[in-house]
Amino acid sequence: MTVTRRAAVLGSPIAHSLSPVLHRAAYDELGLTDWSYDRFEVDEAALPGFFEELGPEWAGLSLTMPLKRAVIPLLDGISDTAASVDAVNTVLLTDDGRRLGDNTDIPGMVAALREHGIEEVGSAAILGAGATASSALAALARICTGEVVAYVRSEARAAEMREWGERLDVDVRTADWADAAEALRAPLVIATTPAGTTDALATAVPERPTTLFDVLYDPWPTELAGRWSMFGGAVVSGLDLLVHQAVLQVEQMTGRSPAPLEAMRHAGEKALAAR
């Protein structure tokens, strides 16, 4: 196989990334036999040097932590979506040498929710206040008509979430993490915290839960998601998000649309099952 076009995911740590599995599955389905997709361990200090080595065969890059903000000064421009949260997870390398940044996490969240029948909600709750929480707020700006309550551990984080709310034109109220069990009664709950953080909340799942969007995918299900499903609630997983944002990346990088969503999802599920 002669590779004429290259793409990859960068980040640190990166060994766990499912992006190569998803993108390669798309290439196979689309018949793009001359495309390759790899992963590279790259931190903030090494990122400028990596960019300097990119040749004309490169079509695009996927970025994970800690590079989503660090990459912005290296780009020739970013989309309004990326600018709304100061985070880029997709870099397109154009034929005329430009580096353009976008954020597919936000529309990916919206698409994952819509796939589960969530087109609009009157209110929502967010568990956590990190970078993923700001993307969740940006997604909610598109589908939530009322208040979003963010449950956080510190006043500094609370202030950040209120600032993001103002910037994104979302009505945000903050609450202490000690009261996070109250979040579970919201019409839509988005859990954006690291693995294990929400385990203690599993016993507080209400008898008739609504919809939980848990951005984790490994390990899966989380304690909270498992209990939520057991009680009959709808669950959107981190794999749903990963696949939908990757679909948008494939379409942008290859120029082929639509990307094969189901083939990519199946490949992701198979890879997770093998872990």
Side-chain angles (χ1 to χ4, degrees):
M1 180 182 78
T2 302
V3 173
T4 60
R5 299 298 278 162
R6 295 188 70 183
V9 60
L10 316 181
S12 182
I14 200 63
H16 68 287
S17 176
L18 277 181
S19 291
V21 171
L22 302 182
H23 285 252
R24 289 169 186 168
Y27 297 167
D28 287 345
E29 194 74 11
L30 293 169
L32 299 175
T33 56
D34 56 348
W35 279 69
S36 71
Y37 190 100
D38 303 296
R39 66 164 70 89
F40 292 95
E41 181 83 18
V42 178
D43 60 15
E44 292 148 297
L47 188 60
F50 189 92
F51 267 68
E52 288 174 11
E53 297 297 320
L54 295 174
E57 74 277 13
W58 283 90
L61 300 169
S62 308
L63 302 177
T64 186
M65 299 305 290
L67 304 178
K68 293 184 181 184
R69 292 204 168 108
V71 72
I72 293 175
L74 304 176
L75 303 178
D76 297 303
I78 64 174
S79 67
D80 290 344
T81 303
S84 74
V85 290
D86 289 337
V88 165
N89 78 327
T90 307
V91 175
L92 301 178
L93 303 162
T94 68
D95 291 338
D96 59 3
R98 289 179 300 154
R99 305 165 178 171
L100 303 177
D102 194 13
N103 185 309
T104 63
D105 285 332
I106 295 165
M109 281 187 175
V110 173
L113 286 165
R114 284 183 174 152
E115 187 179 44
H116 286 76
I118 308 298
E119 297 278 348
E120 184 178 286
V121 290
S123 61
I126 294 178
L127 299 172
T132 307
S134 61
S135 290
L137 269 183
L140 288 171
R142 304 183 181 193
I143 65 166
C144 185
T145 59
E147 182 182 68
V148 176
V149 184
Y151 291 81
V152 301
R153 292 189 182 277
S154 70
E155 178 50 39
R157 289 290 197 179
E160 285 179 13
M161 288 300 282
R162 290 192 294 267
E163 287 173 15
W164 280 117
E166 289 180 18
R167 181 167 170 174
L168 295 162
D169 198 23
V170 179
D171 181 11
V172 175
R173 176 168 64 86
T174 54
D176 192 275
W177 183 264
D179 300 319
E182 296 174 5
L184 308 187
R185 301 189 180 279
L188 170 63
V189 182
I190 305 182
T192 69
T193 53
T197 307
T198 61
D199 288 357
L201 296 176
T203 56
V205 173
E207 286 186 13
R208 291 182 178 147
T210 49
T211 300
L212 170 69
F213 190 166
D214 195 325
V215 303
L216 295 172
Y217 61 83
D218 188 15
W220 187 262
T222 61
E223 292 281 336
L224 182 60
R227 182 92 167 182
W228 201 274
S229 294
M230 190 169 66
F231 277 50
V235 175
V236 185
S237 76
L239 183 61
D240 292 322
L241 167 59
L242 192 69
V243 170
H244 276 283
Q245 65 83 27
V247 160
L248 297 169
Q249 289 184 334
V250 168
E251 291 174 354
Q252 290 186 28
M253 292 179 190
T254 67
R256 299 283 293 275
S257 183
L261 172 70
E262 290 308 321
M264 295 167 71
R265 189 199 315 275
H266 177 70
E269 289 172 343
K270 184 177 179 182
L272 282 176
R275 288 187 176 180

